[in-house]
Protein backbone atom coordinates (compact mmCIF):
# COMPACT_ATOMS: atom_id res chain seq x y z
CA UNK A 1 0.00 0.00 0.00
CA UNK A 2 2.85 2.34 0.82
CA UNK A 3 4.45 1.78 -2.59
CA UNK A 4 1.20 2.47 -4.41
CA UNK A 5 0.66 5.65 -2.47
CA UNK A 6 4.19 6.84 -3.28
CA UNK A 7 3.64 6.21 -6.98
CA UNK A 8 0.36 8.06 -6.83
CA UNK A 9 2.05 11.01 -5.18
CA UNK A 10 4.79 11.07 -7.82
CA UNK A 11 2.31 10.91 -10.68
CA UNK A 12 0.10 13.61 -9.28
CA UNK A 13 3.08 15.86 -8.90
CA UNK A 14 4.16 15.62 -12.55
CA UNK A 15 3.78 19.01 -14.20
CA UNK A 16 0.47 19.09 -16.13
CA UNK A 17 0.93 18.67 -19.84
CA UNK A 18 4.34 16.97 -19.69
CA UNK A 19 4.48 13.55 -21.33
CA UNK A 20 5.10 10.85 -18.79
CA UNK A 21 7.83 9.50 -21.06
CA UNK A 22 10.28 12.13 -22.27
CA UNK A 23 12.25 11.26 -25.44
CA UNK A 24 15.22 8.97 -24.87
CA UNK A 25 17.00 10.66 -27.76
CA UNK A 26 16.44 13.62 -30.02
CA UNK A 27 13.44 15.93 -29.75
CA UNK A 28 9.71 15.41 -30.18
CA UNK A 29 6.27 17.02 -30.42
CA UNK A 30 3.70 15.83 -27.88
CA UNK A 31 -0.06 16.38 -27.70
CA UNK A 32 -1.56 16.44 -24.22
CA UNK A 33 -5.06 16.33 -25.68
CA UNK A 34 -4.36 13.12 -27.60
CA UNK A 35 -1.71 11.89 -25.12
CA UNK A 36 0.69 10.88 -27.86
CA UNK A 37 3.86 11.87 -29.66
CA UNK A 38 3.16 13.73 -32.89
CA UNK A 39 5.29 13.51 -36.04
CA UNK A 40 7.21 16.61 -37.00
CA UNK A 41 5.36 18.87 -39.47
CA UNK A 42 1.98 18.00 -37.95
CA UNK A 43 -1.12 19.92 -39.08
CA UNK A 44 -3.51 20.95 -36.29
CA UNK A 45 -6.65 23.00 -35.86
CA UNK A 46 -7.41 25.18 -32.81
CA UNK A 47 -9.64 22.38 -31.52
CA UNK A 48 -6.69 19.98 -31.73
CA UNK A 49 -4.74 22.25 -29.41
CA UNK A 50 -7.52 22.24 -26.81
CA UNK A 51 -9.69 24.79 -25.08
CA UNK A 52 -8.37 24.80 -21.54
CA UNK A 53 -5.60 26.87 -20.04
CA UNK A 54 -3.21 23.93 -19.99
CA UNK A 55 -0.10 22.89 -21.82
CA UNK A 56 -1.48 21.10 -24.83
CA UNK A 57 1.27 21.07 -27.46
CA UNK A 58 4.82 20.54 -26.28
CA UNK A 59 8.21 20.13 -27.85
CA UNK A 60 10.59 18.27 -25.59
CA UNK A 61 14.18 17.10 -25.64
CA UNK A 62 16.26 14.25 -24.33
CA UNK A 63 19.03 16.66 -23.40
CA UNK A 64 18.04 16.90 -19.72
CA UNK A 65 15.20 18.09 -17.55
CA UNK A 66 16.39 21.67 -17.26
CA UNK A 67 16.36 22.80 -20.87
CA UNK A 68 13.54 23.86 -23.11
CA UNK A 69 13.18 25.64 -26.41
CA UNK A 70 11.16 28.53 -27.78
CA UNK A 71 8.10 28.69 -30.01
CA UNK A 72 7.88 31.24 -32.80
CA UNK A 73 4.69 32.13 -34.64
CA UNK A 74 4.33 32.22 -38.46
CA UNK A 75 5.61 35.80 -38.49
CA UNK A 76 8.82 34.66 -36.82
CA UNK A 77 7.99 36.40 -33.53
CA UNK A 78 8.73 34.55 -30.32
CA UNK A 79 5.60 33.68 -28.32
CA UNK A 80 5.38 35.30 -24.96
CA UNK A 81 6.36 33.19 -21.94
CA UNK A 82 3.78 34.66 -19.57
CA UNK A 83 0.15 33.79 -18.96
CA UNK A 84 -2.30 36.04 -20.81
CA UNK A 85 -6.02 35.30 -21.03
CA UNK A 86 -7.45 34.79 -24.50
CA UNK A 87 -4.03 34.59 -26.13
CA UNK A 88 -1.63 32.09 -27.58
CA UNK A 89 1.60 31.92 -25.66
CA UNK A 90 4.35 29.53 -24.64
CA UNK A 91 5.84 28.36 -21.38
CA UNK A 92 9.24 26.83 -20.82
CA UNK A 93 9.06 24.01 -18.31
CA UNK A 94 11.31 21.10 -17.26
CA UNK A 95 12.71 19.87 -20.54
CA UNK A 96 9.75 20.99 -22.64
CA UNK A 97 8.25 24.12 -24.08
CA UNK A 98 4.50 24.37 -24.62
CA UNK A 99 1.97 26.22 -26.68
CA UNK A 100 -0.71 27.26 -24.20
CA UNK A 101 -4.20 28.64 -24.83
CA UNK A 102 -6.25 30.69 -22.41
CA UNK A 103 -9.72 30.00 -23.78
CA UNK A 104 -11.61 28.49 -26.67
CA UNK A 105 -11.41 31.78 -28.58
CA UNK A 106 -7.71 32.30 -27.94
CA UNK A 107 -6.44 31.18 -31.32
CA UNK A 108 -9.04 33.19 -33.22
CA UNK A 109 -8.14 36.25 -31.16
CA UNK A 110 -4.51 35.92 -32.18
CA UNK A 111 -5.50 35.61 -35.81
CA UNK A 112 -2.23 34.14 -37.05
CA UNK A 113 -2.47 30.80 -38.79
CA UNK A 114 0.39 29.06 -40.44
CA UNK A 115 3.50 27.21 -39.36
CA UNK A 116 4.70 27.47 -35.76
CA UNK A 117 8.31 26.50 -35.08
CA UNK A 118 9.88 25.23 -31.88
CA UNK A 119 13.65 25.60 -31.71
CA UNK A 120 15.18 23.34 -29.06
CA UNK A 121 18.56 21.73 -28.34
CA UNK A 122 18.93 17.94 -28.45
CA UNK A 123 21.16 15.85 -26.21
CA UNK A 124 24.21 16.72 -28.34
CA UNK A 125 23.54 20.43 -27.68
CA UNK A 126 22.56 20.92 -31.34
CA UNK A 127 19.56 23.09 -32.15
CA UNK A 128 16.69 21.22 -33.81
CA UNK A 129 13.49 22.60 -35.35
CA UNK A 130 10.03 21.11 -34.88
CA UNK A 131 7.10 22.44 -36.91
CA UNK A 132 3.34 22.44 -36.39
CA UNK A 133 0.92 23.94 -38.91
CA UNK A 134 -2.13 25.45 -37.18
CA UNK A 135 -5.13 26.35 -39.36
CA UNK A 136 -8.73 27.23 -38.57
CA UNK A 137 -10.20 24.83 -41.13
CA UNK A 138 -9.34 21.21 -41.71
CA UNK A 139 -9.70 21.50 -45.50
CA UNK A 140 -6.08 22.59 -45.70
CA UNK A 141 -5.05 19.06 -44.73
CA UNK A 142 -6.36 17.74 -48.04
CA UNK A 143 -4.88 20.37 -50.34
CA UNK A 144 -1.16 19.97 -49.83
CA UNK A 145 -0.05 19.03 -53.31
CA UNK A 146 3.65 19.65 -53.99
CA UNK A 147 4.51 22.69 -56.02
CA UNK A 148 8.06 23.35 -57.21
CA UNK A 149 8.43 26.91 -58.33
CA UNK A 150 10.05 27.54 -61.69
CA UNK A 151 12.83 28.36 -62.16
CA UNK A 152 15.01 26.81 -59.52
CA UNK A 153 17.20 29.58 -58.17
CA UNK A 154 20.95 29.28 -58.64
CA UNK A 155 23.41 31.08 -56.37
CA UNK A 156 27.19 30.99 -56.09
CA UNK A 157 28.08 30.64 -52.44
CA UNK A 158 31.68 31.75 -52.88
CA UNK A 159 33.48 34.04 -55.29
CA UNK A 160 34.91 32.74 -58.52
CA UNK A 161 38.45 32.62 -57.10
CA UNK A 162 37.73 30.55 -53.99
CA UNK A 163 40.29 27.75 -53.55
CA UNK A 164 37.35 25.44 -52.76
CA UNK A 165 34.57 26.64 -55.07
CA UNK A 166 31.03 25.75 -54.11
CA UNK A 167 27.56 26.64 -55.27
CA UNK A 168 23.98 26.06 -54.21
CA UNK A 169 20.79 25.07 -55.96
CA UNK A 170 17.57 26.12 -54.27
CA UNK A 171 14.38 24.09 -54.81
CA UNK A 172 11.24 25.69 -53.36
CA UNK A 173 8.24 23.63 -52.23
CA UNK A 174 5.01 25.51 -51.52
CA UNK A 175 3.15 23.01 -49.37
CA UNK A 176 2.72 21.72 -45.86
CA UNK A 177 3.78 19.30 -44.53
CA UNK A 178 7.02 19.75 -46.44
CA UNK A 179 7.14 17.36 -49.32
CA UNK A 180 9.84 14.78 -49.79
CA UNK A 181 12.52 16.34 -51.96
CA UNK A 182 15.26 14.49 -53.80
CA UNK A 183 18.15 15.61 -55.99
CA UNK A 184 19.90 14.04 -58.94
CA UNK A 185 22.79 14.97 -61.22
CA UNK A 186 22.81 13.69 -64.79
CA UNK A 187 19.89 11.40 -63.82
CA UNK A 188 21.87 9.81 -60.99
CA UNK A 189 20.52 10.18 -57.40
CA UNK A 190 22.80 12.21 -55.17
CA UNK A 191 24.01 10.93 -51.78
CA UNK A 192 22.92 14.02 -49.87
CA UNK A 193 24.77 13.14 -46.68
CA UNK A 194 28.11 12.43 -48.34
CA UNK A 195 30.71 14.86 -49.66
CA UNK A 196 30.69 16.75 -51.92
CA UNK A 197 26.89 17.08 -51.55
CA UNK A 198 24.88 18.39 -48.64
CA UNK A 199 21.16 19.13 -48.49
CA UNK A 200 19.22 21.18 -45.95
CA UNK A 201 15.64 22.41 -45.72
CA UNK A 202 14.44 25.57 -44.06
CA UNK A 203 11.21 27.46 -43.67
CA UNK A 204 11.26 30.41 -46.07
CA UNK A 205 7.79 31.92 -45.68
CA UNK A 206 5.67 30.59 -42.82
CA UNK A 207 2.48 32.39 -43.83
CA UNK A 208 2.44 30.72 -47.23
CA UNK A 209 4.19 27.59 -45.93
CA UNK A 210 7.03 27.86 -48.40
CA UNK A 211 10.07 25.68 -47.80
CA UNK A 212 13.47 26.01 -49.40
CA UNK A 213 15.56 22.92 -49.97
CA UNK A 214 19.16 23.95 -50.46
CA UNK A 215 21.66 21.66 -52.15
CA UNK A 216 25.27 22.69 -51.53
CA UNK A 217 27.89 21.25 -53.87
CA UNK A 218 31.57 21.61 -53.02
CA UNK A 219 33.83 21.68 -56.05
CA UNK A 220 33.34 22.40 -59.74
CA UNK A 221 30.82 19.74 -60.70
CA UNK A 222 28.78 20.77 -63.76
CA UNK A 223 25.85 18.70 -64.92
CA UNK A 224 22.07 18.55 -65.28
CA UNK A 225 20.71 18.90 -61.74
CA UNK A 226 17.13 17.90 -61.00
CA UNK A 227 14.96 18.53 -57.94
CA UNK A 228 11.87 16.36 -57.41
CA UNK A 229 9.15 17.10 -54.84
CA UNK A 230 6.74 14.27 -54.06
CA UNK A 231 4.09 13.18 -51.58
CA UNK A 232 1.00 10.99 -51.68
CA UNK A 233 -0.68 13.44 -54.05
CA UNK A 234 1.95 13.20 -56.78
CA UNK A 235 5.29 14.70 -57.78
CA UNK A 236 6.81 17.53 -59.77
CA UNK A 237 10.35 18.14 -60.97
CA UNK A 238 12.50 20.93 -62.29
CA UNK A 239 15.99 20.89 -63.75
CA UNK A 240 18.86 23.30 -64.16
CA UNK A 241 21.83 22.71 -66.43
CA UNK A 242 24.87 23.87 -64.48
CA UNK A 243 27.46 24.61 -67.16
CA UNK A 244 31.20 25.27 -67.09
CA UNK A 245 33.46 26.37 -69.96
CA UNK A 246 35.67 23.58 -71.35
CA UNK A 247 38.86 25.49 -70.57
CA UNK A 248 40.45 28.92 -70.11
CA UNK A 249 40.85 31.57 -72.81
CA UNK A 250 43.79 30.89 -75.14
CA UNK A 251 46.23 33.07 -77.09
CA UNK A 252 46.19 35.68 -74.33
CA UNK A 253 48.21 38.77 -75.27
CA UNK A 254 48.84 42.07 -73.48
CA UNK A 255 49.77 45.29 -75.30
CA UNK A 256 50.72 48.54 -73.57
CA UNK A 257 48.41 51.30 -74.81
CA UNK A 258 49.56 54.22 -72.71
CA UNK A 259 51.22 55.20 -69.49
CA UNK A 260 49.25 52.64 -67.40
CA UNK A 261 46.73 51.17 -69.83
CA UNK A 262 47.08 47.66 -71.22
CA UNK A 263 44.88 46.00 -73.85
CA UNK A 264 44.35 42.29 -73.10
CA UNK A 265 43.15 40.12 -76.00
CA UNK A 266 42.28 36.42 -76.13
CA UNK A 267 40.53 33.62 -77.99
CA UNK A 268 37.28 32.52 -76.32
CA UNK A 269 36.98 28.85 -75.25
CA UNK A 270 33.24 28.61 -76.02
CA UNK A 271 30.23 28.20 -73.68
CA UNK A 272 31.44 31.10 -71.53
CA UNK A 273 29.24 33.78 -69.99
CA UNK A 274 32.16 35.97 -68.99
CA UNK A 275 35.83 36.21 -68.12
CA UNK A 276 38.09 37.23 -65.28
CA UNK A 277 41.34 39.09 -66.02
CA UNK A 278 43.70 38.58 -63.08
CA UNK A 279 46.78 40.74 -62.68
CA UNK A 280 49.53 40.98 -60.10
CA UNK A 281 52.50 43.35 -59.67
CA UNK A 282 55.58 41.36 -58.71
CA UNK A 283 54.83 39.24 -55.64
CA UNK A 284 51.96 41.46 -54.46
CA UNK A 285 48.30 40.71 -54.14
CA UNK A 286 46.15 39.77 -57.10
CA UNK A 287 43.45 42.02 -58.53
CA UNK A 288 40.67 41.06 -60.90
CA UNK A 289 38.64 42.67 -63.64
CA UNK A 290 35.38 40.99 -64.66
CA UNK A 291 34.33 41.06 -68.31
CA UNK A 292 30.63 40.12 -68.49
CA UNK A 293 30.32 40.12 -72.31
CA UNK A 294 30.54 36.48 -73.50
CA UNK A 295 31.41 37.63 -77.03
CA UNK A 296 34.32 39.84 -75.96
CA UNK A 297 37.81 39.03 -77.22
CA UNK A 298 39.67 42.04 -75.80
CA UNK A 299 39.46 44.46 -72.90
CA UNK A 300 41.56 47.41 -71.73
CA UNK A 301 42.61 47.47 -68.08
CA UNK A 302 44.52 50.00 -66.00
CA UNK A 303 47.61 48.94 -64.07
CA UNK A 304 49.31 50.80 -61.24
CA UNK A 305 52.95 50.63 -60.25
CA UNK A 306 56.29 50.35 -61.99
CA UNK A 307 57.56 46.84 -62.62
CA UNK A 308 56.47 43.50 -64.06
CA UNK A 309 52.74 42.80 -64.13
CA UNK A 310 51.67 39.16 -64.58
CA UNK A 311 48.31 38.66 -66.29
CA UNK A 312 46.23 35.46 -66.46
CA UNK A 313 42.60 34.75 -67.33
CA UNK A 314 39.67 32.51 -66.28
CA UNK A 315 36.43 31.76 -68.13
CA UNK A 316 33.14 31.16 -66.35
CA UNK A 317 29.52 30.34 -67.10
CA UNK A 318 27.35 29.24 -64.15
CA UNK A 319 30.54 27.70 -62.79
CA UNK A 320 34.09 28.95 -63.31
CA UNK A 321 36.61 26.69 -64.96
CA UNK A 322 39.42 26.72 -62.37
CA UNK A 323 42.12 26.26 -65.03
CA UNK A 324 43.97 29.50 -65.78
CA UNK A 325 45.37 30.63 -69.06
CA UNK A 326 49.08 30.84 -69.66
CA UNK A 327 50.52 33.94 -68.02
CA UNK A 328 51.73 36.97 -69.94
CA UNK A 329 53.98 39.63 -68.46
CA UNK A 330 54.07 43.35 -69.25
CA UNK A 331 56.60 45.74 -67.75
CA UNK A 332 55.65 49.28 -66.84
CA UNK A 333 58.61 51.68 -66.52
CA UNK A 334 58.32 55.21 -65.22
CA UNK A 335 59.80 57.61 -67.81
CA UNK A 336 62.79 59.79 -67.02
CA UNK A 337 62.53 63.59 -67.16
CA UNK A 338 62.72 65.46 -70.47
CA UNK A 339 65.86 67.52 -71.17
CA UNK A 340 65.16 71.24 -71.58
CA UNK A 341 67.23 72.52 -74.50
CA UNK A 342 66.10 76.11 -74.82
CA UNK A 343 63.91 78.75 -73.15
CA UNK A 344 63.28 81.97 -75.07
CA UNK A 345 60.88 84.89 -74.53
CA UNK A 346 57.84 85.42 -76.68
CA UNK A 347 57.00 89.12 -76.76
CA UNK A 348 56.76 90.50 -73.22
CA UNK A 349 54.44 87.97 -71.60
CA UNK A 350 55.41 84.52 -72.86
CA UNK A 351 58.13 81.89 -72.97
CA UNK A 352 58.93 79.26 -75.55
CA UNK A 353 60.29 76.06 -74.03
CA UNK A 354 62.03 73.40 -76.09
CA UNK A 355 63.05 69.96 -74.79
CA UNK A 356 64.17 66.49 -75.75
CA UNK A 357 61.75 63.76 -74.56
CA UNK A 358 62.98 60.67 -72.66
CA UNK A 359 63.00 57.29 -74.44
CA UNK A 360 59.50 55.94 -73.65
CA UNK A 361 56.95 54.73 -76.19
CA UNK A 362 54.11 55.01 -73.69
CA UNK A 363 54.35 58.75 -73.07
CA UNK A 364 51.03 60.58 -73.20
CA UNK A 365 52.17 64.14 -72.57
CA UNK A 366 54.26 66.56 -70.54
CA UNK A 367 53.64 68.96 -67.70
CA UNK A 368 55.41 72.35 -67.70
CA UNK A 369 55.64 74.41 -64.52
CA UNK A 370 57.40 77.68 -63.74
CA UNK A 371 58.07 80.00 -60.80
CA UNK A 372 57.96 83.79 -60.87
CA UNK A 373 60.95 85.49 -59.22
CA UNK A 374 61.28 89.10 -58.04
CA UNK A 375 63.37 91.75 -59.82
CA UNK A 376 65.90 91.91 -57.00
CA UNK A 377 66.48 88.14 -57.00
CA UNK A 378 70.27 87.51 -57.08
Amino acid sequence: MTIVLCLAVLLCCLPPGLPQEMPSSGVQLYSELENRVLPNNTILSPADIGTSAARTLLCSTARDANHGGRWRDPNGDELETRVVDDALYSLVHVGAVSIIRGSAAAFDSVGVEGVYRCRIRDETNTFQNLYAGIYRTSSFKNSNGPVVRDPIAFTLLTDLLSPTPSFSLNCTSHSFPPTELSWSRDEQPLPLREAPYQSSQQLCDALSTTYDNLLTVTGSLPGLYSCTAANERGSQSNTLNVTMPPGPPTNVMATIQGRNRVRVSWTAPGDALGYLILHRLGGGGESQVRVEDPGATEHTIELTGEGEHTITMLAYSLLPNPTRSEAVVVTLVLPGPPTITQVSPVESTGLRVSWTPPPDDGLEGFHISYTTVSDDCP
Side-chain angles (χ1 to χ4, degrees):
M1 179 63 67
T2 303
I3 296 176
V4 173
L5 288 176
C6 289
L7 287 174
V9 171
L10 288 172
L11 291 174
C12 77
C13 294
L14 283 173
L18 274 177
Q20 296 182 13
E21 292 186 7
M22 299 291 283
S24 58
S25 63
V27 296
Q28 69 180 26
L29 286 174
Y30 177 82
S31 168
E32 180 196 33
L33 189 67
E34 299 179 3
N35 191 29
R36 68 184 180 92
V37 175
L38 302 174
N40 194 14
N41 304 311
T42 293
I43 294 179
L44 302 168
S45 67
D48 294 327
I49 297 178
T51 59
S52 63
R55 288 176 282 280
T56 57
L57 181 62
L58 302 94
C59 68
S60 52
T61 176
R63 184 182 180 193
D64 59 55
N66 297 315
H67 293 85
R70 287 290 189 274
W71 281 102
R72 291 188 180 273
D73 67 16
N75 293 322
D77 298 325
E78 184 172 308
L79 298 183
E80 296 185 24
T81 56
R82 58 189 176 89
V83 177
V84 180
D85 291 337
D86 294 332
L88 196 65
Y89 57 94
S90 64
L91 178 70
V92 177
H93 188 85
V94 192
V97 56
S98 313
I99 285 184
I100 309 175
R101 302 184 66 250
S103 71
F107 181 79
D108 290 332
S109 69
V110 173
V112 179
E113 60 179 346
V115 180
Y116 287 77
R117 182 187 71 168
C118 177
R119 181 173 169 84
I120 192 167
R121 292 182 185 271
D122 62 17
E123 68 274 21
T124 67
N125 203 36
T126 302
F127 273 116
Q128 302 291 343
N129 292 313
L130 295 170
Y131 298 97
I134 304 178
Y135 298 90
R136 294 187 181 91
T137 64
S138 60
S139 61
F140 187 87
K141 296 182 180 182
N142 299 319
S143 61
N144 305 328
V147 176
V148 182
R149 291 180 175 177
D150 185 22
I152 294 173
F154 173 84
T155 306
L156 279 174
L157 293 182
T158 60
D159 63 46
L160 296 174
L161 298 179
S162 171
T164 56
S166 64
F167 63 93
S168 70
L169 294 172
N170 188 38
C171 183
T172 301
S173 175
H174 182 71
S175 60
F176 188 87
T179 55
E180 293 293 327
L181 289 122
S182 59
W183 289 93
S184 66
R185 173 174 171 255
D186 295 334
E187 300 184 350
Q188 298 298 316
L190 298 182
L192 299 180
R193 291 180 176 83
E194 301 177 10
Y197 306 104
Q198 184 177 1
S199 177
S200 62
Q201 182 164 281
Q202 61 184 3
L203 180 64
C204 177
D205 182 353
L207 289 177
S208 62
T209 59
T210 299
Y211 286 79
D212 284 345
N213 188 277
L214 196 68
L215 174 68
T216 300
V217 183
T218 302
S220 298
L221 295 173
L224 184 64
Y225 285 82
S226 175
C227 170
T228 300
N231 62 13
E232 65 276 5
R233 297 176 59 84
S235 65
Q236 294 186 18
S237 298
N238 263 328
T239 59
L240 179 67
N241 189 20
V242 180
T243 58
M244 183 177 74
T250 56
N251 302 319
V252 177
M253 300 179 63
T255 306
I256 296 176
Q257 295 294 296
R259 180 66 201 96
N260 61 343
R261 294 200 308 272
V262 173
R263 185 182 70 234
V264 181
S265 60
W266 63 89
T267 300
D271 296 327
L273 296 179
Y275 309 93
L276 286 182
I277 301 175
L278 312 163
H279 57 91
R280 181 198 310 270
L281 173 59
E286 192 169 59
S287 300
Q288 61 172 286
V289 176
R290 181 174 296 198
V291 181
E292 297 182 345
D293 179 5
T297 56
E298 65 176 46
H299 189 79
T300 298
I301 62 175
E302 292 190 0
L303 302 179
T304 303
E306 183 179 20
E308 291 187 346
H309 291 257
T310 302
I311 299 173
T312 57
M313 291 190 65
L314 287 174
Y316 66 87
S317 50
L318 291 184
L319 290 180
N321 190 309
T323 304
R324 296 195 178 200
S325 68
E326 292 186 4
V328 294
V329 177
V330 293
T331 302
L332 296 184
V333 179
L334 292 177
T339 302
I340 297 177
T341 57
Q342 184 179 6
V343 178
S344 56
V346 177
E347 299 181 347
S348 61
T349 58
L351 292 173
R352 177 180 289 108
V353 180
S354 303
W355 65 88
T356 301
D360 192 316
D361 295 336
L363 287 175
E364 296 182 348
F366 301 90
H367 176 74
I368 301 175
S369 61
Y370 65 93
T371 301
T372 300
V373 297
S374 62
D375 293 339
D376 57 355
C377 179

